[in-house]
Amino acid sequence: MSDSAPGDSYVDAYIALGANLGRPLETLRWAVAEVSSLGEVCGVSKLYQTAPVGGPSGQPDYLNAALCLRTRLLPLELLAALHDAEARAGRERRERWEARVLDLDLIVYGNWIEAGPPLTLPHPRAWERAFVLAPLADLNVGLAHPQTGETVGQALARMDGSGLQAEATDWLSFS
């Protein structure tokens, strides 16, 4: 647990976005608009195409991105709002790491440390996954893991990024 609650102050939260069912690009655009209602979106990464990691075989590739949200919501409130957005997009939770219409993961919430359930912060596998780290590096390569101090850039440098393909920098353009 963190040493103090944000209260009326703003906190920068980093959220990973992913989709591989339906119309992933349109869904991710919609998700950014939805998340913007929870605070101020202060940055959005490039879009990446990545192979699925874990889960059932035969899944289509994912589109992944990340965003930084400056918010006053407490971590559990933010997590609930992200899960609500996933549900409104049509996500059903049946099997771990299955293909999904939308995945919104709270990766880092300021320097908050939480050992869930229902929430673990920072996200327990984020610093092990290139498909999370590459979009985070677009936003803040020096973002440090609140427990280990390892930066996103340092973690990404030790990863095999061969399964990552940067797709677009202007993917939020609707033209």
Side-chain angles (χ1 to χ4, degrees), residues 57 77 117:
S57 63
E77 294 170 329

Side-chain angles (χ1 to χ4, degrees), residues 32-154:
V32 171
E34 287 297 303
V35 171
S36 72
S37 72
L38 306 175
E40 174 193 354
V41 173
C42 42
V44 180
S45 74
K46 292 184 276 190
L47 188 66
Y48 293 83
Q49 182 175 339
T50 62
V53 175
S57 63
Q59 293 187 47
D61 284 352
Y62 276 84
L63 290 181
N64 292 102
L67 63 79
C68 177
L69 179 74
R70 189 159 291 140
T71 186
R72 287 184 174 178
L73 293 176
L74 294 170
L76 283 175
E77 294 170 329
L78 180 55
L79 181 66
L82 295 175
H83 285 173
D84 181 59
E86 288 176 340
R88 285 184 284 118
R91 177 167 181 187
E92 296 177 9
R93 294 175 183 268
R94 295 181 303 254
E95 183 178 347
R96 188 173 191 185
W97 296 329
E98 69 184 337
R100 55 201 76 150
V101 171
L102 180 62
D103 188 27
L104 298 173
D105 286 332
L106 181 53
I107 304 299
V108 173
Y109 180 92
N111 288 319
W112 195 276
I113 296 170
E114 181 88 22
L119 175 63
T120 301
L121 283 172
H123 190 285
R125 290 170 300 283
W127 262 249
E128 302 167 6
R129 295 177 167 171
F131 68 87
V132 174
L133 293 170
L136 285 178
D138 290 344
L139 299 171
N140 186 350
V141 72
L143 178 66
H145 188 287
Q147 291 172 301
T148 68
E150 183 180 38
T151 68
V152 166
Q154 291 167 334

Side-chain angles (χ1 to χ4, degrees), residues 13-29:
Y14 289 85
I15 298 165
L17 299 86
N20 73 338
L21 292 179
R23 299 173 56 121
L25 178 58
E26 289 79 7
T27 301
L28 294 179
R29 287 175 173 162

